[in-house]
Amino acid sequence: MRIITGKYKGRHFDIPRTFKARPTTDFAKENIFNVLVQYVDFDCAEALDLFSGTGSISLELVSRGCSHVVSVELDRDHHRFIQDCMKKLNDQTCISIRGDVFRFLKSCKQQFDFIFADPPYALKELATLPDLVFERQLLKEEALFVLEHGKDYDFSEHPHFVEHRQYGSVNFSLFR
C-alpha cells in the first residue's frame, strides 16, 4: 500500500497477508482523489474515515494536509496496523478508534468537512449509511460524504446524491 500524494507521497506500508481487508486500489484511490479535490480543500480539513481497514484512506488524508482525521475500524489487528503506520510517519494528526462504525456514528457529536466510508461490500446495512450520516448531521455545510461500494448499489435517487464514479470494480457514490 502506498501514499499517492502530499507530504508523505511515495511512502509504502506492507500489509500483512493475514488481513481480510482489501485496501482501495492505487488506481481507484488516485482517480477518486482527483475528483475529490474539486469538492474538498483537504488542507486543514477535518475528516472521518469509516471502516478504515488498512488505513489507506486515513494515511492519504493525513498526507494531503488534513488537520484532524478520525479513523474508525473494528478489527483489532487492522486498528493496530493503522496506529503503527501513523507512528512510522511520526504524525499525530490521526486518531484511530477501535470500534463499531454504527455505534460510533450514533454517538458522534463532531461535524466533518469530509467523510469516507469503505464498508465490506456484503454488509447488509451498507445502504443505510448515507441516511445515517445526514440524519446525525455529521457533515459541515458544503462538506462531502463518499461511500465506496460494489456494483449492486445505486444511490442516484438519494436526496443528497451528487455523482457516481466507477474505476474497475470499485464504485464511489458522492453525497453532499
Side-chain angles (χ1 to χ4, degrees):
M1 171 178 77
R2 82 179 163 95
I3 298 175
I4 304 295
T5 198
K7 63 184 173 184
Y8 302 120
K9 178 182 179 176
R11 291 286 302 264
H12 283 83
F13 298 92
D14 293 326
I15 301 167
R17 293 176 193 249
T18 57
F19 274 23
K20 297 169 260 177
R22 42 157 185 73
T24 303
T25 64
D26 283 355
F27 173 74
K29 185 168 60 170
E30 187 166 11
N31 280 291
I32 194 62
F33 270 95
N34 286 339
V35 171
L36 296 178
V37 296
Q38 300 169 35
Y39 291 98
V40 180
D41 179 6
F42 290 106
D43 192 36
C44 297
E46 295 182 9
L48 174 62
D49 182 13
L50 302 170
F51 305 96
S52 300
T54 61
S56 174
I57 299 299
S58 291
L59 289 163
E60 195 68 39
L61 292 168
V62 167
S63 183
R64 288 170 184 261
C66 286
S67 63
H68 182 70
V69 177
V70 177
S71 170
V72 183
E73 173 55 45
L74 181 61
D75 185 275
R76 179 195 59 191
D77 295 332
H78 296 185
H79 173 258
R80 187 177 308 122
F81 179 76
I82 295 166
Q83 289 181 315
D84 290 345
C85 290
M86 292 300 168
K87 282 180 189 167
K88 287 177 184 172
L89 294 177
N90 194 26
D91 196 300
Q92 306 299 315
T93 306
C94 182
I95 295 171
S96 183
I97 297 172
R98 181 173 173 237
D100 178 77
V101 165
F102 293 98
R103 275 188 162 161
F104 175 84
L105 290 175
K106 289 177 182 170
S107 65
C108 183
K109 304 286 187 237
Q110 184 177 356
Q111 288 189 314
F112 298 91
D113 299 295
F114 178 71
I115 300 175
F116 186 93
D118 180 10
Y121 289 0
L123 182 72
K124 63 182 177 181
E125 300 95 343
L126 187 147
T128 67
L129 285 167
D131 288 335
L132 192 54
V133 166
F134 287 98
E135 286 168 8
R136 299 290 305 154
Q137 299 177 359
L138 298 175
L139 290 171
K140 295 178 183 177
E141 195 168 321
E142 297 301 312
L144 189 71
F145 169 54
V146 175
L147 177 60
E148 183 175 333
H149 56 85
K151 64 180 180 186
D152 297 331
Y153 291 92
D154 178 5
F155 293 97
S156 59
E157 298 299 317
H158 192 278
H160 294 280
F161 178 81
V162 176
E163 69 174 290
H164 172 263
R165 295 290 178 126
Q166 181 178 357
Y167 305 104
S169 62
V170 181
N171 292 267
F172 298 97
S173 289
L174 285 64
F175 303 85
R176 187 169 246 174

